[in-house]
Amino acid sequence: MLLQNALPQQFTATLKSPHGRLLDLRQPQVMGILNVTPDSFYPGSRLGAGSEAALLHRAELMLAAGAAALDVGGYSSRPGADDISPDEEKSRLLPAVAALRREFPQAFISVDTFRAAVAAEAVATGADLINDIGGGTLDAGMLPTVARLRVPYCLMHLKGTPQTMRSLAHYEDDLVLTLLRFFRDQLAALRQAANGQPLPDVLLDPGFGFAKTPAHNHELLRRLPELHHLGYGLLVGLSRKAMVYKPLGLGPETALNGTTALHVLALQGGARLLRVHDVPEARQTIALVTGA
């Protein structure tokens, strides 16, 4: 079966939080998106800062529907989004992490941030994983922080910043080879930061939509198995993105069906964690594709 043949020979089957919680990736899993932002690209995902009741209600629905992890973000990384200060990001993110940890003590919580100081405070508040869109390139302190805290880390490929990435969506070399070199170099930097200590658990994310054209995105999706050469599990974030809805002349609000179709391809390519807005549909897709 293509799904099984696409898996890396070796990958971290279980992510281990410094707080003792586990994320089992022996079978593909779902990560539910919780945006405590006013400007994320999909309006239906916006919870806004301070909406604790709405946050907890959505988290409860996601966990009940089978989400294995929750990913909380306080900084919109959509193309061209406004930059915000670290203090503003913390004011959105940390109360959300604290509320989720209080109400769902067993939940595996990821924080979507590229800032080392924000990540460190979030882990101290109870977060279990750092989901870094910059893969350690946007804050020189991130990889040393990850190594010091020994916290599971999702290393994503990105060129530039959310504010500049649209203008950088060009690659002189083969696209997949470029990503493999990026991941190799950032993993080497993480090993150097670890200074001889064992690495924390790592996932790789090809960064669909980040400094990539629609053609780049679809090429990456077709060639996803090639990214297993480094031996790490893949997180894939396709949910309701422009690569889904723009070719259909739609918007993110009507992109669920297309998202499901592309999730099938991602699972066949060996994705281990789907980062999604719509947990029940993603769980159903995994069940049908894997037979589990």
Side-chain angles (χ1 to χ4, degrees):
M1 184 177 179
L2 180 57
L3 175 66
Q4 296 302 321
N5 292 340
L7 295 179
Q9 293 298 309
Q10 294 181 343
F11 73 101
T12 303
T14 303
L15 304 186
K16 305 173 185 66
S17 163
H19 307 296
R21 285 174 286 273
L22 304 176
L23 179 59
D24 185 354
L25 297 178
R26 288 174 294 179
Q27 291 289 330
Q29 301 287 359
V30 171
M31 171 186 277
I33 299 169
L34 296 170
N35 287 323
V36 285
T37 57
D39 57 345
S40 295
F41 80 91
Y42 170 42
S45 73
R46 299 172 189 169
L47 292 164
S51 304
E52 183 176 300
L55 170 76
L56 294 177
H57 178 65
R58 188 167 298 176
E60 183 177 27
L61 292 176
M62 287 180 166
L63 292 169
L70 301 172
D71 190 47
V72 191
Y75 184 110
S76 176
S77 56
R78 63 177 174 79
D82 291 337
D83 190 22
I84 62 171
S85 70
D87 285 344
E88 185 171 355
E89 185 183 3
K90 288 179 187 178
S91 74
R92 297 175 180 178
L93 185 64
L94 297 181
V97 173
L100 290 168
R101 180 53 63 225
R102 181 187 71 242
E103 295 298 320
F104 309 107
Q106 300 307 314
F108 198 94
I109 298 174
S110 164
V111 287
D112 181 358
T113 184
F114 58 83
R115 289 168 166 153
V118 176
E121 289 195 40
V123 172
T125 306
D128 301 297
L129 181 147
I130 298 170
N131 184 13
D132 177 11
I133 63 165
T137 66
L138 299 179
D139 186 334
M142 180 61 88
L143 298 182
T145 296
V146 170
R148 174 175 58 83
L149 297 176
R150 290 197 47 75
V151 60
Y153 181 58
C154 183
L155 194 165
M156 195 190 88
H157 173 266
L158 169 68
K159 288 173 68 179
T161 69
Q163 291 73 37
T164 64
M165 62 185 178
R166 270 183 173 161
S167 65
L168 299 174
H170 50 83
Y171 299 86
E172 295 181 2
D173 209 338
D174 178 82
L175 178 62
V176 171
L177 182 58
T178 298
L179 264 66
L180 287 170
R181 286 171 174 161
F182 173 86
F183 289 138
R184 176 202 63 192
D185 292 346
Q186 293 307 104
L187 287 165
L190 181 56
R191 290 188 190 94
Q192 184 175 18
N195 195 28
Q197 297 299 309
L199 285 185
D201 298 328
V202 173
L203 289 171
L204 304 180
D205 179 351
F208 288 99
F210 288 82
K212 298 170 186 74
T213 66
H216 290 144
N217 291 324
H218 286 281
E219 180 183 355
L220 275 178
L221 189 56
R222 290 193 304 271
R223 299 176 63 187
L224 207 59
E226 297 177 48
L227 295 179
H228 296 311
H229 289 316
L230 294 172
Y232 291 88
L234 297 180
L235 180 150
V236 167
L238 300 166
S239 184
R240 296 181 181 264
K241 288 187 174 179
M243 68 177 289
V244 178
Y245 64 80
K246 280 193 174 180
L248 303 174
L250 303 174
E253 299 84 359
T254 50
L256 175 56
N257 188 56
T259 295
T260 298
L262 296 192
H263 278 160
V264 172
L265 299 179
L267 291 166
Q268 290 176 335
R272 307 310 289 172
L273 191 58
L274 300 179
R275 182 179 180 273
V276 309
H277 300 95
D278 308 282
V279 172
E281 291 81 359
R283 281 299 316 160
Q284 292 164 15
T285 304
I286 289 173
L288 291 172
V289 172
T290 66

